[in-house]
Each structure stands twice: as C-alpha cells, then as structure tokens.
Amino acid sequence: QLNLAAEALEQPGAQEEVAAMCASDEALQEAIDKDPKLQDMRDSNPIAAELMKDPEGMKILMDPDNLRAVGEIPSAMEADFMSSMGADVNANSAGIDFGGDVGGAAAAEALDI
C-alpha cells in the first residue's frame, strides 16, 4: 500500500501538492480529513501516524524513498523478532546450564524473559 503511495508521489506535480498540504498544521489536518487514503495510512501504520502529526514530519514521510522504508519496518521488525526468538528459544546459545533437559520455553521462563 505504501509502495503505491510512493509511486504516486513520484508523479509530476505531486511534491508541489505535498508542499501545499504541509504549509501549516491546519492545512495538513484538513488534507488528512478530506483524503481517505491519508486516513488509512495514518490508521494502519503507527510510524506514519506519528510522522503525520505535524507538517515537518509529513514532509519527511512524503519523500517516496522514506515512505517505502516506513512500509518495510513492520515486516523487518517481525523478521528480526522471529530470528532472535529462534536463536534464544531453540538453542542455548548463552551456554547456560539450566539443570537437566530443559526446553527453550522453560528456560526463558526460568530467566523471567
């Protein structure tokens, strides 16, 4: 979804529209209130929502490359989390002896993780 928005922002005249939208707090809120796509972007992505709170943040978000990057953050975070969980839960990489044949979930519970 954010990739499509990034492509639209690369079209001629799009950055001029962004500049007008980001001229003031009022202009920004009016643009968001009138545009269901902007509302959906705000409501579906917490990072985008934070950047959309003020004109300077919105200018940063509306850079096509930045917009694509924001869209990739949730999946990158999930992949990183799953990778770290796999390393910690499936193997005793820290070399800690938990006393017997204790599985990763029990080990995590014992460490209060």
Side-chain angles (χ1 to χ4, degrees):
Q1 178 183 10
L2 294 179
N3 283 332
L4 293 175
E7 289 175 17
L9 288 169
E10 293 175 330
Q11 299 304 312
Q15 290 302 314
E16 288 79 9
E17 290 179 31
V18 169
M21 176 175 55
C22 295
S24 68
D25 288 338
E26 295 79 19
L28 176 58
Q29 288 311 308
E30 183 178 326
I32 293 170
D33 291 344
K34 290 182 177 181
D35 189 333
K37 290 179 184 177
L38 289 176
Q39 293 168 17
D40 185 47
M41 185 186 334
R42 176 197 61 205
D43 296 342
S44 67
N45 188 304
I47 295 168
E50 189 64 31
L51 289 169
M52 293 172 79
K53 288 182 178 179
D54 71 275
E56 289 304 312
M58 187 66 159
K59 286 178 190 176
I60 292 167
L61 180 63
M62 292 293 101
D63 176 274
D65 292 331
N66 291 342
L67 193 57
R68 286 184 187 95
V70 167
E72 294 170 4
I73 289 172
S75 59
M77 287 175 60
E78 181 179 350
D80 186 52
F81 174 76
M82 295 307 289
S83 173
S84 70
M85 290 301 293
D88 291 340
V89 173
N90 295 326
N92 185 1
S93 59
I96 300 171
D97 181 4
F98 291 103
D101 188 23
V102 178
E109 186 176 310
L111 290 172
D112 195 29
I113 300 176

